[in-house]
Amino acid sequence: MTQKRGIVAEDLMELKSVGEVDLSPDGSKYAFVETKIDKDKHEYVSHIFVGHVIGGEPVQWTYGDVRDTSPKWSPDGKYISFVSTRSGKSQIYLLSAEGGEARQLTNCKNGARNPIWSHDSSTILFTTSLAPNQQITDINNQKKDEKKALEPMVVERIRYKSDSVGFLDDKRQHLALINVKTMQLTQLTEGDFDYTPGCWSPDGTQITFSADLTDEPDFNLVSDVYILSIADKSVNKLTNSNGVFGEVTWSPDGTFIAMIGHEKEYDSATLSKIWIYDVLNKELRCLTANWDVQIGDVAIGDFHSGNSNPGIIWTDDSKGFYFVMSDHGNTGVYYGSIEGEMYPSLLENQHIYTLSVDSKNHKAVVGISTPTHPGDLYLIDLSTGELKQLTYSNDHFLANIELSSAEPITFKAPDGWDIHGWVMKPVFFEEGKLYPTILEVHGGPHAMYANTYFHEFQVLTAKGYAVVFTNPRGSHGYGQEFVDAVRGDYGGRDYLDVMAAAEYAETHLNFVDKSRLGITGGSYGGFMTNWIVGHTNKFKAAVTQRSISNWLSFYGVSDIGYFFSGWEVKGDLVTDAEKLWKHSPLRYVENIETPLLILHGEKDYRCPIEQAEQLFIALKKQKKPTKFVRFPGANHELSRSGNPKLRIDRLNHIKDWFVEYLG
């Protein structure tokens, strides 16, 4: 028998991710995306697979060194639409349900995405980017190696860049239709706005979309839901320009429109709720106003990417629906009724990261991940909870790998609040031995560590470290008061929560070596790492990733800084600069003695690299132990969906720093 080993950073190249699942209309088959890494090119490759729910190996339907994503069955079951990069830009393609070659459906100049079938399977609603002088009929004829002329960039809007796409141009995301048989294109929207598609009305005469069509979208920061008539392109607004709403679905009988959103009562810390719009009476009401949970999947991980929340999935009788919610480190599937009753269909210690429902037969295919299972697809009977595994994507590779499980812990913060988290023992743990221990802090801060696979954690436990990760106040999953408690108090009680986790590890885990504690985190977790080493010398080594060090400069350089600073820190560069400086780790840089590794992506526009540069120079000027690693071309998503080689390099830098200073 082969001796098992712990996992290493490079094993990321061997692991496959399965997700973006879609059940066929009759519930007999499921299409999904399998993503893996081309080990020679260090690039992601995604393909469409189709399987039968009764069993058997899923069959690969698309091939090539491309990204094939977003598979959707036509309602008549004859086709699968998907998005592919095979032509050089993302375009929509069709596959016959009987197999064969894919047919390119769109050839839009700036690509096409987000295909949504009409109920009669004749037409697909999709999005494409258009400049003011472009038409939907303009085709993509730009060669891959064609270079644009060098031009100065003129900026007039406060929102002129985005971490996901970089610097914004004058293109806007618009809605369009394409007839599957005739290939006729119809542009539905226009103007200097971005539109997100929602769904079709059951009779096919209308579609829904979400957008901010207010006079000052850069300042109002809302998302309204609209109904658009296809015949005359008239629109009807369903929400009140006072919140963020989206993920819209229409009930099969046409009487209700469901959506997920909130009215920004707590700005970015507001829990998302389920809302129902009565089409006949033109009334909008919140179904979960008194339910203190977050609707949707907000779990933090570093393995799965590209999966989106499924929204509200109606049952055939239009009396109820299924949805995903997040609670206490888990995501689960719930059933809700139009009267507002909510019942769990699947809620275990696990992460549901993708979902497709056979509403007629109350069955579903779900993607499930746990700390020791990267993720696979399962068929679930939503009435009985019975599970049947459909894919075994990583079983062969993991057969010789030893993974560390995550054991839940709960402890008290200094003010008595309960804080929840997990501890992972080192791989091949030996009773009676003391181990260096690393405390992990997640980003957000309005997100949630969960019972899901985390490659970074497994790499560290395989190297002989214990890992402690928790959800301090500010995290989702523990109610509205808990998630809101961090705003205006960054580095206050949230800092005490994280330190309470370290104290718990020292006093309750007899295998923790108190003299060899490390800490790391990214984004908000990077802020907290910077803050902690400026306020205590408890930790022998620290790694800060894509962090915030200076709220004063963050205000003007981050793509969200001008509003996030007010929402979260409750300070403003113009009217209350001292508040921003008070909560800036850079203010306390003179106190830092802990050896600090600084990791940052050079194309990070969410927490721009100047945040790392300021911290590094301030430390080096004082001759403090530090090192700065810059990742070329990487944005804020480096650890999750960044270049595979750079993701591996990042993990090894983290591991090597702790090896150097913790042993």
Side-chain angles (χ1 to χ4, degrees):
M1 184 175 179
T2 304
Q3 178 71 33
K4 285 193 173 186
R5 65 171 177 84
I7 210 158
V8 294
E10 289 76 9
D11 288 333
L12 189 66
M13 294 287 188
E14 307 294 336
L15 295 172
K16 302 172 184 176
S17 169
V18 293
E20 292 192 87
V21 67
D22 193 52
L23 270 164
S24 62
D26 64 3
S28 66
K29 291 179 285 187
Y30 60 101
F32 66 96
V33 176
E34 180 187 273
T35 300
K36 59 183 180 180
I37 297 171
D38 184 317
K39 289 181 280 187
D40 295 325
K41 297 181 179 179
H42 287 181
E43 295 177 350
Y44 298 102
V45 176
S46 300
H47 293 127
I48 310 299
F49 284 69
V50 175
H52 291 264
V53 298
I54 58 173
E57 284 287 322
V59 177
Q60 184 172 342
W61 277 31
T62 66
Y63 295 86
D65 296 332
V66 297
R67 300 294 302 270
D68 295 332
T69 59
S70 307
K72 293 293 179 184
W73 292 89
S74 61
D76 62 11
K78 294 181 179 180
Y79 297 99
I80 297 174
S81 66
F82 66 99
V83 176
S84 178
T85 60
R86 60 188 63 191
S87 68
K89 289 185 178 179
S90 294
Q91 302 286 356
I92 299 171
Y93 290 74
L94 285 186
L95 279 167
S96 169
E98 297 178 356
E101 290 295 318
R103 173 166 67 97
Q104 186 171 345
L105 195 60
T106 64
N107 192 28
C108 297
K109 185 176 183 65
N110 301 311
R113 295 158 294 277
N114 306 313
I116 301 172
W117 285 93
S118 63
H119 293 285
D120 64 1
S121 301
S122 68
T123 309
I124 291 177
L125 168 68
F126 68 97
T127 61
T128 187
S129 296
L130 295 173
N133 61 342
Q134 289 179 339
Q135 303 295 320
I136 188 68
T137 51
D138 292 346
I139 64 171
N140 174 35
N141 55 13
Q142 182 178 345
K143 296 179 181 179
K144 292 182 181 179
D145 59 353
E146 185 177 328
K147 294 183 179 180
K148 295 182 179 180
L150 187 63
E151 298 282 352
M153 180 180 181
V154 179
V155 177
E156 294 184 288
R157 294 181 60 166
I158 193 169
R159 299 189 74 178
Y160 67 92
K161 59 184 176 180
S162 165
D163 184 67
S164 59
V165 298
F167 288 112
L168 304 177
D169 51 26
D170 58 355
K171 297 184 185 73
R172 296 289 176 259
Q173 179 173 278
H174 287 286
L175 307 179
L177 305 177
I178 186 166
N179 185 287
V180 174
K181 291 184 178 179
T182 67
M183 309 282 281
Q184 179 182 352
L185 287 164
T186 304
Q187 186 173 332
L188 295 178
T189 59
E190 58 185 18
D192 192 22
F193 303 100
D194 290 304
Y195 298 83
T196 300
C199 63
W200 289 81
S201 64
D203 63 7
T205 64
Q206 302 173 95
I207 60 106
T208 64
F209 67 86
S210 54
D212 184 349
L213 304 185
T214 60
D215 292 337
E216 294 186 310
D218 287 356
F219 295 92
N220 293 323
L221 303 171
V222 299
S223 176
D224 285 308
V225 172
Y226 294 81
I227 297 175
L228 181 148
S229 170
I230 294 174
D232 60 10
K233 299 181 183 178
S234 61
V235 298
N236 176 32
K237 188 168 72 169
L238 309 187
T239 51
N240 300 313
S241 298
N242 63 346
V244 179
F245 296 88
E247 300 171 88
V248 188
T249 55
W250 213 307
S251 66
D253 65 4
T255 57
F256 298 105
I257 296 174
M259 63 189 78
I260 297 175
H262 60 74
E263 294 182 327
K264 292 173 62 177
E265 298 96 324
Y266 302 91
D267 291 326
S268 48
T270 312
L271 295 182
S272 294
K273 303 286 188 179
I274 298 174
W275 299 72
I276 297 290
Y277 180 80
D278 187 318
V279 176
L280 180 63
N281 297 313
K282 299 182 178 179
E283 294 177 348
L284 180 67
R285 60 190 174 100
C286 182
L287 284 188
T288 59
N290 298 317
W291 195 25
D292 201 21
V293 302
Q294 169 73 6
I295 304 301
D297 173 14
V298 291
I300 287 282
D302 67 351
F303 185 65
H304 292 288
S305 64
N307 294 290
S308 58
N309 284 315
I312 305 302
I313 305 172
W314 288 94
T315 54
D316 275 10
D317 60 9
S318 298
K319 294 181 179 179
F321 46 81
Y322 292 98
F323 61 95
V324 171
M325 53 81 76
S326 298
D327 183 56
H328 282 74
N330 301 304
T331 59
V333 180
Y334 262 69
Y335 170 82
S337 72
I338 55 175
E339 287 80 24
E341 299 169 310
M342 306 291 154
Y343 307 98
S345 296
L346 178 62
L347 185 60
E348 303 291 341
N349 292 327
Q350 58 195 15
H351 175 203
I352 307 296
Y353 62 87
T354 189
L355 167 71
S356 181
V357 177
D358 172 5
S359 299
K360 182 177 181 180
N361 298 305
H362 295 273
K363 293 185 178 181
V365 173
V366 294
I368 297 177
S369 177
T370 69
T372 56
H373 187 178
D376 272 304
L377 301 179
Y378 296 76
L379 178 70
I380 177 175
D381 186 319
L382 294 167
S383 300
T384 65
E386 181 182 356
L387 276 175
K388 171 189 173 184
Q389 189 167 350
L390 298 174
T391 65
Y392 299 83
S393 55
N394 294 298
D395 280 19
H396 178 72
F397 173 70
L398 293 176
N400 297 317
I401 300 292
E402 186 76 22
L403 296 175
S404 177
S405 60
E407 303 169 20
I409 57 174
T410 302
F411 53 91
K412 294 287 187 182
D415 59 359
W417 283 34
D418 288 326
I419 307 298
H420 172 231
W422 297 262
V423 58
M424 298 172 69
K425 294 177 181 177
V427 171
F428 308 121
F429 173 82
E430 297 178 26
E431 199 69 51
K433 188 176 177 181
L434 292 179
Y435 293 92
T437 300
I438 298 169
L439 186 61
E440 293 265 4
V441 187
H442 68 64
H446 310 309
M448 179 182 77
Y449 272 146
N451 282 298
T452 192
Y453 178 80
F454 223 111
H455 195 63
E456 178 180 328
F457 297 175
Q458 293 294 349
V459 168
L460 292 173
T461 58
K463 195 61 181 176
Y465 299 106
V467 172
V468 175
F469 57 107
T470 65
N471 285 323
R473 70 193 70 195
S475 304
H476 269 307
Y478 306 89
Q480 184 62 80
E481 183 182 5
F482 193 89
V483 74
D484 184 54
V486 72
R487 292 199 309 136
D489 191 38
Y490 274 47
R493 288 169 294 176
D494 54 344
Y495 162 69
L496 297 179
D497 290 348
V498 176
M499 295 305 295
E503 182 180 347
Y504 177 89
E506 290 178 321
T507 57
H508 290 80
L509 305 177
N510 60 9
F511 52 87
V512 169
D513 186 338
K514 300 178 184 180
S515 67
R516 293 190 291 165
L517 297 181
I519 187 167
T520 185
S523 195
Y524 165 82
F527 157 83
M528 183 53 68
T529 299
N530 296 340
W531 184 270
I532 283 175
V533 296
H535 287 77
T536 178
N537 290 325
K538 176 182 283 291
F539 297 94
K540 193 175 180 181
V543 181
T544 184
Q545 309 171 49
R546 59 190 188 281
S547 72
I548 297 166
S549 67
N550 185 352
W551 290 109
L552 287 169
S553 60
F554 178 88
Y555 181 95
V557 298
S558 168
D559 63 342
I560 62 173
Y562 73 99
F563 64 86
F564 188 87
S565 301
W567 284 0
E568 291 293 319
V569 188
K570 297 189 176 180
D572 184 88
L573 183 65
V574 178
T575 61
D576 194 4
E578 180 54 37
K579 174 70 170 173
L580 296 180
W581 185 236
K582 175 184 175 183
H583 292 276
S584 295
L586 198 63
R587 179 178 181 177
Y588 311 96
V589 70
E590 188 178 2
N591 302 332
I592 297 177
E593 302 293 341
T594 306
L596 182 63
L597 174 64
I598 304 170
L599 308 179
H600 221 107
E602 293 187 342
K603 294 288 186 173
D604 190 333
Y605 293 148
R606 184 59 41 85
C607 297
I609 196 169
E610 60 86 29
Q611 295 285 307
E613 291 170 333
Q614 293 184 70
L615 181 60
F616 175 70
I617 295 301
L619 289 171
K620 290 300 287 186
K621 182 72 183 298
Q622 300 175 81
K623 298 184 178 180
K624 301 292 182 67
T626 186
K627 184 163 65 175
F628 184 19
V629 182
R630 304 169 64 108
F631 295 87
N635 67 7
H636 203 62
E637 291 297 304
L638 168 64
S639 65
R640 297 179 278 265
S641 59
N643 176 277
K645 179 185 181 302
L646 295 183
R647 288 175 68 189
I648 291 170
D649 289 340
R650 168 189 163 271
L651 289 169
N652 282 327
H653 276 292
I654 295 170
K655 176 201 60 156
D656 292 345
W657 188 259
F658 285 129
V659 168
E660 180 177 355
Y661 287 98
L662 299 184

